Amino acid sequence: MTTDEKLQHFLDICMDDARERGGRIFDEYASALEKDLEEHKIDAKRRAAMQLQGESEKIQREINKELALEQINLKRTLSLRQEELKKKLFVEVRNLLVNFMETARYQQLLDAQIKHAVDFAGDEELVIYLDPSDADKLNQLSLHNHANIKISEYSFSGGTRAVIPSKHILIDNSFDTKLKEAERDFRFETGGAIHG
């Protein structure tokens, strides 16, 4: 074999070896890239899922916050409306009491309150007060009940107040007190069925 042929043969062997090694390196590199690509896809899907979950949770928190604010606004509106209706209701009740005070049943109520106070006091000294608007009823109630009945200096919108001085007891059957207690304790029933 000539030198040129030897060189050519050596070149062919080197080139085949280089091609074979280059092919293996390329295959290994391509395989590594495929593996990296798959890992990247898995990681990207995981990050996307986490981001989606995070955004979903964020949206849910915002929705819950909006719902809570709306519930507060609705409760405030309901409370204001209930207070408005309560005031109207008690204005109407006061008007009904004024009308009631013109009836014979009111005279009977005063009489019953006085008898109850007298019975409660027993032998103790008792002073019964009428509202100034009931001054016209003083004589009849005093004669009928044989009690110390006076006209109060202060209006209490009807009814009676009785004092047992020796025991520091006040029997307060005034309409003012009863209305204030009713107004304080009044609550609207909510959550029931609406009947139409």
Side-chain angles (χ1 to χ4, degrees):
M1 215 187 250
T2 64
T3 307
D4 284 338
E5 288 175 343
K6 286 182 182 177
L7 280 174
Q8 185 61 43
H9 180 66
F10 179 70
L11 179 63
D12 290 341
I13 291 173
C14 286
M15 288 302 286
D16 286 342
D17 187 51
R19 278 190 204 101
E20 190 180 313
R21 271 200 236 161
R24 273 197 316 266
I25 291 171
F26 180 79
D27 289 344
E28 288 173 6
Y29 187 69
S31 178
L33 284 177
E34 283 290 326
K35 184 179 175 187
D36 286 349
L37 178 62
E38 287 304 314
E39 288 175 0
H40 179 72
K41 284 180 182 178
I42 291 168
D43 188 51
K45 284 180 183 177
R46 184 185 55 78
R47 280 187 280 125
M50 287 174 56
Q51 185 176 3
L52 181 63
Q53 182 180 356
E55 288 297 319
S56 295
E57 289 172 359
K58 180 181 174 186
I59 289 169
Q60 190 61 47
R61 281 193 304 271
E62 287 176 15
I63 289 170
N64 290 344
K65 181 180 173 184
E66 290 295 322
L67 282 173
L69 288 173
E70 192 58 34
Q71 283 179 331
I72 289 168
N73 287 337
L74 285 173
K75 285 179 183 178
R76 185 178 302 126
T77 301
L78 178 64
S79 178
L80 291 172
R81 183 68 177 136
Q82 285 180 340
E83 195 59 35
E84 181 183 316
L85 290 173
K86 182 177 171 181
K87 285 178 184 177
K88 285 181 180 180
L89 175 68
F90 278 93
V91 165
E92 192 172 321
V93 168
R94 281 183 172 80
N95 290 336
L96 290 171
L97 280 174
V98 168
N99 292 336
F100 173 72
M101 289 171 67
E102 302 298 323
T103 67
R105 288 179 58 212
Y106 176 62
Q107 181 88 20
Q108 293 167 358
L109 175 70
L110 292 176
D111 196 44
Q113 287 179 351
I114 291 168
K115 283 180 182 171
H116 177 267
V118 168
D119 289 345
F120 184 81
D123 295 331
E124 297 293 327
E125 178 190 353
L126 174 71
V127 181
I128 298 171
Y129 293 96
L130 293 178
D131 189 83
S133 65
D134 294 328
D136 60 323
K137 299 170 183 68
L138 177 64
N139 288 336
Q140 184 179 358
L141 290 169
S142 293
L143 291 173
H144 189 250
N145 290 290
H146 306 290
N148 181 12
I149 303 174
K150 298 180 179 183
I151 301 298
S152 173
E153 293 179 29
Y154 308 101
S155 175
F156 43 82
S157 301
T160 61
R161 286 185 174 157
V163 177
I164 304 172
S166 62
K167 293 188 177 180
H168 303 289
I169 294 176
L170 169 67
I171 303 170
D172 191 349
N173 288 312
S174 67
F175 287 176
D176 264 354
T177 300
K178 298 297 182 191
L179 278 170
K180 285 176 185 170
E181 288 171 358
E183 207 166 346
R184 180 193 68 218
D185 297 336
F186 182 82
R187 299 286 179 269
F188 283 98
E189 293 294 323
T190 58
I194 298 174
H195 302 285

